[in-house]
């Protein structure tokens, strides 16, 4: 509820219910309507004015936004970027921005489905299916995400949880793992496991698109009926994760140098990497580094 009606609505509900049920056979402890109140801020327009029915010019019609950008984008714009008790500004461009994330989720899932066989969809994931450093890195990131999201949701930090899921799916899964998963490095088992687990985490924030994607994964149950992901310490691989982070850093630095030197994106260049003690782990990812950094040798 908004803090502006804390007395007018919340306090009166407690007083009214305890008054109406004072002769009830249940104890007062069981008769009160709620024990926890989540105070969110007021929704304001881009100029800081409170959205109000008495001032229609300050309001955004949610049905118009749903028609234009989708229900999930509207939901995300109201949850992510807001902190409990603080006012938030809502405007069309913000909603449009979250539509981009909804599209990213859709396209990432579509890419994964194009790179697996129908037989892969029916297989259950097991640790024995893990192959590469990249697999161990993304699984470690996923387990840490589950742990952090659980903690945030229990403490009502809804925006923090949403932001972490957003960053993981956009950056770690789509920008890195899916790119690495092309060609010889593809592992359908891990690809699908991370996608399915990500959809479970995303579902409370954007239920409509995630449920539609889930229907295409040859699953028996609706996504909303699936069990919430549980943290598994056995799927944390610290050593391999550090090795993959180094690979990402090398690729990022080469891309940065290319941009600073104004090298054309399509042009391949040569690079010398002094690997030192990391030679074996970098050698394993030679093809990935060359492909993602666009190197000739």
């Amino acid at each position: 509820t908004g803090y502006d009606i804390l007395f007018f609505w919340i306090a009166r509900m407690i007083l009214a219910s305890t008054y109406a049920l004072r002769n009830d056979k249940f104890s007062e402890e069981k008769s009160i309507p709620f024990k926890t109140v989540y105070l969110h801020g007021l929704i304001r327009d881009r100029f800081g004015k409170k959205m109000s029915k008495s001032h229609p010019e300050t309001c955004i019609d949610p049905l118009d936004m749903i028609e234009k950008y989708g229900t999930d984008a509207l939901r995300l714009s109201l949850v992510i970027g807001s902190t409990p008790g603080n006012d938030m500004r809502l405007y069309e461009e913000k909603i449009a921005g979250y539509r981009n994330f909804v599209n990213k989720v859709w396209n990432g899932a579509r890419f994964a489905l194009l790179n697996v066989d129908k037989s892969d969809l029916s297989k259950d994931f097991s640790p024995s299916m893990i192959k590469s450093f990249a697999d161990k890195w993304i699984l470690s990131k996923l387990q840490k995400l589950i742990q952090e999201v659980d903690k945030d949701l229990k403490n009502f930090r809804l925006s923090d949880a949403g932001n972490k899921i957003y960053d993981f799916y956009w950056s770690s899964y789509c920008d890195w793992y899916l790119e690495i998963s092309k060609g010889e490095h593809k592992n359908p088992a891990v690809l699908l496991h991370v996608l399915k687990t990500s959809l479970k985490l995303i579902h409370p924030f954007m239920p409509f698109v995630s449920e539609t994607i889930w229907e295409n994964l040859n699953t028996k149950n609706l996504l909303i009926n699936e069990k919430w992901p549980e943290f598994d310490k056995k799927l944390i691989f610290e050593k391999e994760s550090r090795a993959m982070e180094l690979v990402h850093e090398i690729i990022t630095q080469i891309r940065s140098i290319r941009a600073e030197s104004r090298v054309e994106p399509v042009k391949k260049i040569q690079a010398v990497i002094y690997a030192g003690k990391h030679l074996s782990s970098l050698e394993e990812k030679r093809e990935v580094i060359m492909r993602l950094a666009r190197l000739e040798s």
Side-chain angles (χ1 to χ4, degrees):
T1 185
Y3 58 76
D4 55 333
I5 55 170
L6 183 59
F7 174 75
F8 301 105
W9 184 240
I10 303 304
R12 290 189 183 196
M13 284 177 73
I14 295 172
L15 291 169
S17 61
T18 50
Y19 174 79
L21 298 170
R22 67 189 187 283
N23 296 320
D24 194 82
K25 63 180 180 180
F26 297 108
S27 65
E28 186 177 295
E29 175 79 11
K30 294 179 180 177
S31 300
I32 59 172
F34 40 73
K35 294 181 181 179
T36 305
V37 178
Y38 181 86
L39 289 179
H40 61 72
L42 303 179
I43 308 299
R44 300 184 179 275
D45 66 10
R46 66 169 69 250
F47 305 108
K49 293 180 180 179
K50 176 187 172 184
M51 288 193 184
S52 169
K53 293 189 291 292
S54 55
H55 296 283
E57 72 280 0
T58 63
C59 297
I60 292 176
D61 189 328
L63 294 179
D64 289 343
M65 295 298 101
I66 288 170
E67 184 69 29
K68 200 168 182 180
Y69 302 110
T71 310
D72 285 336
L74 180 62
R75 286 171 64 97
L76 288 166
S77 67
L78 287 165
V79 178
I80 299 180
S82 62
T83 50
N86 290 335
D87 296 353
M88 69 173 293
R89 299 190 182 195
L90 184 66
Y91 39 91
E92 190 169 340
E93 290 85 352
K94 183 180 180 184
I95 301 168
Y98 283 108
R99 180 190 57 181
N100 296 337
F101 176 63
V102 175
N103 288 340
K104 189 78 171 180
V105 172
W106 182 269
N107 291 332
R110 186 169 171 269
F111 176 86
L113 286 168
L114 288 171
N115 282 274
V116 299
D117 299 324
K118 283 189 177 181
S119 59
D120 296 321
L121 294 172
S122 58
K123 296 175 184 175
D124 293 327
F125 171 78
S126 72
S128 62
M129 296 173 172
I130 301 169
K131 296 178 181 178
S132 66
F133 280 11
D135 291 343
K136 292 179 178 180
W137 169 77
I138 195 67
L139 289 169
S140 299
K141 296 277 284 187
L142 181 63
Q143 292 309 308
K144 290 175 182 177
L145 176 69
I146 293 169
Q147 193 175 39
E148 290 175 7
V149 167
D150 277 349
K151 188 176 180 180
D152 285 337
L153 292 180
K154 285 174 184 174
N155 289 288
F156 303 99
R157 295 195 293 263
L158 310 182
S159 176
D160 289 350
N163 264 320
K164 287 169 184 174
I165 296 166
Y166 180 110
D167 290 341
F168 171 84
Y169 192 91
W170 191 298
S171 178
S172 300
Y173 185 62
C174 290
D175 290 355
W176 284 112
Y177 188 71
L178 290 186
E179 287 298 319
I180 291 170
S181 294
K182 294 176 180 176
E184 63 186 73
H185 300 278
K186 182 174 70 175
N187 186 347
V190 174
L191 200 67
L192 288 170
H193 173 71
V194 177
L195 174 62
K196 288 179 179 179
T197 307
S198 298
L199 289 174
K200 291 176 184 178
L201 295 173
I202 288 169
H203 187 67
F205 297 89
M206 45 175 292
F208 298 100
V209 169
S210 57
E211 191 73 71
T212 303
I213 295 169
W214 189 260
E215 290 174 3
N216 291 284
L217 295 174
N218 195 29
T219 48
K220 297 176 183 178
N221 302 320
L222 289 171
L223 178 53
I224 197 170
N225 291 331
E226 282 290 316
K227 189 178 178 183
W228 185 253
E230 292 183 1
F231 172 74
D232 187 351
K233 191 177 180 181
K234 294 177 183 176
L235 294 178
I236 298 284
F237 306 94
E238 295 290 356
K239 183 181 176 181
E240 291 85 349
S241 294
R242 286 194 296 271
M244 276 309 302
E245 292 290 350
L246 180 61
V247 171
H248 295 166
E249 181 67 17
I250 289 168
I251 295 168
T252 302
Q253 291 294 342
I254 293 173
R255 285 174 173 176
S256 178
I257 293 168
R258 288 178 65 106
E260 289 171 10
S261 304
R262 297 180 181 177
V263 178
E264 293 177 11
V266 294
K267 185 178 180 181
K268 291 189 175 183
I269 60 172
Q270 296 179 335
V272 178
I273 300 170
Y274 292 91
K277 62 181 180 181
H278 303 289
L279 179 61
S280 59
S281 58
L282 291 180
E283 190 64 52
E284 183 189 319
K285 292 300 175 191
R286 171 188 285 269
E287 187 274 334
V288 170
I289 294 171
M290 290 182 65
R291 174 160 48 87
L292 297 186
R294 294 208 59 79
L295 300 178
E296 188 175 50
S297 64

